[in-house]
Amino acid sequence: MKEAKVDRSEQRLRELGYKQELKRELTSFTNFSVSFSVVSILTGLTSLYGTALNSGGPAVIIWGWVFVSAMSMCVAAAMAEICSSYPTSGGLYYWSSKLGGKHGPFYAWVTGWWNLLGQFGCTAGIDFGLALLLCSVISLETGWVYERWQVVLIYFVILIIHGLINTFLVKLIAIMNTISVWVHIGGVIIILVTLLVKTEHKASASFVFTGFVNNTGWSSSVYVVLLGLLQSQFTMTGYDASAHMTEETKNADVAGPVGILMAVGVSFVAGLGYLLALTFGIQDLDTVLNTPTGNPIAQIFLDSVGETGALLLLIILLLAQFFCGNASVTANSRMIYAFSRDGAMPGSKYLHRIHPTLNSPVWAIWLSCFVSALLGLLYLANAVAFSAITSIATIGLYISYGLPTFCRLVYARDTFEPGPISLGRFSFPIGVIACVWIVLITILFILPGTAPVTAANMNYTIVIVAASAFYIFGNWYFNARHWFKGPVSNIDIEDNENDFVAGSLNKQEEMLQADKTEYIEEEKGEVL
């Protein structure tokens, strides 16, 4: 066989056990733009601004953003170091497998499923936030009083649009993500300048930096402050998208980790400017909290620049959230594609397929949209379901962010071989900080947000997280541990180490099926 010429990133991917199936067309900037678009400060900070305003107020909004960004940068730095060593679309679960030693398959399984849960929640949270904002904009212009089922219906339409774009317009996704970066940065500058110039009676500095509000019903100020961190922490999710896009990125072992770090760093700076502009723009706190528009930020815009100006600023937010949701579906589908490529999901033989003419993982895209749609149905039963969806996203993603770092610290501290991007001697302390923070927020965001707790305001995150944990660990113990061995190569390496031939995907599926069949037969034999 004639030796194929491959670039360094494709060569590294083959060394990790995978053939190049997705087109490697993304630059460092477009890789960063995917993560930056998924983080989307104009989405997370907008959607949960009212929640944070009631749970701690301005002081928690501003200083919480600073603190959470610092903790998120620790998590991102630990992830970026590992990404530089293992630049593959499987990302987090692949890292856990390689770093977990003899327990690698278990950690890969758990990491992959928590990441999937978080990504489904992230896509749902983003597009549902867009649906709510769109309803508020329509209400602002027409006086329409919308009901919950109408919000859910609009949410479904948005998911379908994002599914269609990711299916049929895959070549435009990189362009859309680049546009998204400038919409976010330009949007923040426009909103910042507009509010600072046009707001006649700006809030005082003491209100912005020290003002405390507690409308949760809880008496503990510390607990209320911690609850208010959800706004910032939900926003600072999704930067693992750069890892999931590495198989489509040139110079992936540098571009992927840099994309992760830049997504957090740039988001912090832009997000701080956005939050300062909004909070200084509050002229009447009671009016903002009890706005008839249903959206505190819409009320801030109305009070500062009038109806026409508010509409123009809200359009910027709508565009940003639309791009964000589209990028989330892209990243989610790549994770499904990679996880199913290793046989870890029901229907894996369909989910890892790349359409021959569309060049997109069609089944993975629509599974992402379908599961996200199911999560949106929670809103029909519970008016505070949006907070639960964002909590699910935060918990699921951050557990999956922490597990590879945990494996790196516990099982591979002396054996890990860093890539071009390395933390050096700071690797261990940063990793410890990241893991401790993740444990804290995992506990925090399943707790109730308001008191007294009733069926109408209960935080149903704990129900979904508990059910997910039951499935993940139960399925592992009773089923997957007998056949799931972690990431499996989909290439055959012949005698000449530079000659690679594709075609072992079907062989891999046959091996997995044989393992499952053997296990079932053994179980039947034991019963008989």
Side-chain angles (χ1 to χ4, degrees):
M1 181 182 291
K2 185 178 179 180
E3 181 177 334
K5 293 183 179 179
V6 296
D7 64 21
R8 182 167 64 88
S9 295
E10 185 174 342
Q11 178 69 30
R12 178 56 180 153
L13 182 63
R14 289 177 169 180
E15 291 170 0
L16 296 176
Y18 297 119
K19 65 180 179 178
Q20 186 72 46
E21 293 183 300
L22 298 165
K23 288 190 175 182
R24 196 176 289 274
E25 298 177 334
L26 302 184
T27 64
S28 296
F29 182 81
T30 48
N31 178 282
F32 150 73
S33 69
V34 175
S35 279
F36 184 72
S37 296
V38 176
V39 173
S40 184
I41 54 171
L42 295 181
T43 298
L45 295 179
T46 298
S47 299
L48 291 173
Y49 189 81
T51 300
L53 203 55
N54 281 296
S55 302
V60 173
I61 289 174
I62 302 301
W63 297 115
W65 177 248
V66 174
F67 177 71
V68 166
S69 295
M71 294 297 101
S72 298
M73 183 57 81
C74 290
V75 177
M79 289 170 55
E81 182 180 48
I82 301 173
C83 179
S84 183
S85 183
Y86 303 114
T88 173
S89 290
L92 302 147
Y93 87 88
Y94 183 95
W95 307 344
S96 291
S97 173
K98 296 305 178 183
L99 298 172
K102 65 180 181 180
H103 304 292
F106 168 73
Y107 283 110
W109 176 269
V110 175
T111 301
W113 278 105
W114 280 118
N115 188 252
L116 275 179
L117 174 68
Q119 292 221 24
F120 289 140
C122 191
T123 299
I126 292 165
D127 277 359
F128 203 87
L130 174 57
L132 286 169
L133 182 61
L134 182 57
C135 288
S136 295
V137 172
I138 297 173
S139 175
L140 178 66
E141 286 298 297
T142 65
W144 174 46
V145 179
Y146 53 87
E147 298 181 21
R148 277 187 273 177
W149 70 267
Q150 293 167 318
V151 177
V152 172
L153 185 61
I154 291 174
Y155 166 64
F156 287 167
V157 172
I158 293 170
L159 280 173
I160 291 171
I161 293 172
H162 283 152
L164 291 172
I165 291 173
N166 276 273
T167 300
F168 296 104
L169 301 176
V170 65
K171 291 184 178 180
L172 296 180
I173 290 176
I175 297 173
M176 290 179 65
N177 288 328
T178 300
I179 294 172
S180 175
V181 172
W182 300 115
V183 167
H184 279 81
I185 295 176
V188 168
I189 294 173
I190 291 171
I191 292 170
L192 178 65
V193 173
T194 301
L195 292 183
L196 291 181
V197 172
K198 299 295 290 183
T199 303
E200 294 183 2
H201 304 288
K202 298 180 184 64
S204 66
S206 62
F207 171 80
V208 171
F209 294 108
T210 64
F212 182 78
V213 177
N214 179 10
N215 292 324
T216 65
W218 296 106
S219 58
S220 172
S221 297
V222 174
Y223 183 61
V224 172
V225 167
L226 293 174
L227 289 175
L229 297 180
L230 176 60
Q231 179 204 27
S232 297
Q233 194 61 82
F234 169 65
T235 303
M236 277 297 185
T237 55
Y239 44 84
D240 60 311
S242 285
H244 297 305
M245 302 303 291
T246 50
E247 290 186 29
E248 300 168 70
T249 303
K250 302 171 185 176
N251 196 24
D253 54 358
V254 174
V258 169
I260 292 171
L261 294 171
M262 283 186 61
V264 175
V266 176
S267 294
F268 164 66
V269 175
L272 184 60
Y274 180 56
L275 290 175
L276 287 171
L278 289 176
T279 312
F280 271 111
I282 296 176
Q283 300 183 66
D284 187 320
L285 180 60
D286 290 335
T287 301
V288 171
L289 290 174
N290 301 294
T291 174
T293 67
N295 190 301
I297 290 179
Q299 189 63 48
I300 293 172
F301 290 167
L302 273 174
D303 294 342
S304 298
V305 297
E307 187 172 319
T308 301
L311 179 61
L312 294 175
L313 295 181
L314 287 169
I315 288 174
I316 294 174
L317 299 183
L318 288 172
L319 283 173
Q321 294 192 23
F322 182 82
F323 286 130
C324 174
N326 191 70
S328 182
V329 171
T330 303
N332 197 346
S333 64
R334 271 33 175 199
M335 172 56 193
I336 294 171
Y337 156 78
F339 205 35
S340 62
R341 180 174 59 185
D342 293 317
M345 298 181 65
S348 286
K349 70 177 182 178
Y350 300 106
L351 294 174
H352 74 246
R353 290 181 180 175
I354 303 296
H355 194 280
T357 57
L358 298 175
N359 293 317
S360 60
V362 176
W363 286 90
I365 289 167
W366 289 102
L367 177 64
S368 169
C369 294
F370 177 73
V371 176
S372 298
L374 293 180
L375 288 175
L377 293 176
L378 289 171
Y379 190 64
L380 294 176
N382 190 315
V384 296
F386 180 70
S387 292
I389 293 171
T390 57
S391 294
I392 292 165
T394 305
I395 291 171
L397 287 177
Y398 270 87
I399 289 176
S400 69
Y401 292 176
L403 285 172
T405 301
F406 173 79
C407 291
R408 159 82 173 86
L409 296 176
V410 175
Y411 299 104
R413 185 175 179 182
D414 298 321
T415 59
F416 175 71
E417 297 181 4
I421 304 298
S422 173
L423 298 177
R425 62 179 180 175
F426 297 105
S427 180
F428 184 78
I430 287 176
V432 171
I433 292 171
C435 289
V436 171
W437 176 244
I438 290 168
V439 171
L440 176 63
I441 62 175
T442 299
I443 297 171
L444 177 63
F445 295 146
I446 63 175
L447 300 177
T450 56
V453 179
T454 66
N457 65 19
M458 176 182 170
N459 183 359
Y460 285 95
T461 304
I462 190 171
V463 177
I464 296 176
V465 169
S468 300
F470 181 80
Y471 171 80
I472 293 169
F473 293 105
N475 196 358
W476 170 261
Y477 183 79
F478 292 106
N479 180 25
R481 69 188 176 99
H482 298 283
W483 55 266
F484 182 72
K485 307 303 180 185
V488 181
S489 173
N490 69 353
I491 57 175
D492 293 322
I493 305 178
E494 304 205 321
D495 293 337
N496 184 336
E497 65 179 7
N498 292 316
D499 284 343
F500 295 85
V501 292
S504 66
L505 269 176
N506 290 334
K507 181 180 178 181
Q508 174 190 341
E509 291 168 5
E510 291 170 2
M511 290 172 63
L512 288 169
Q513 187 58 45
D515 286 343
K516 293 179 184 179
T517 302
E518 181 181 354
Y519 167 62
I520 292 171
E521 290 176 352
E522 288 176 356
E523 291 291 299
K524 288 181 178 178
E526 290 180 6
V527 172
L528 295 174

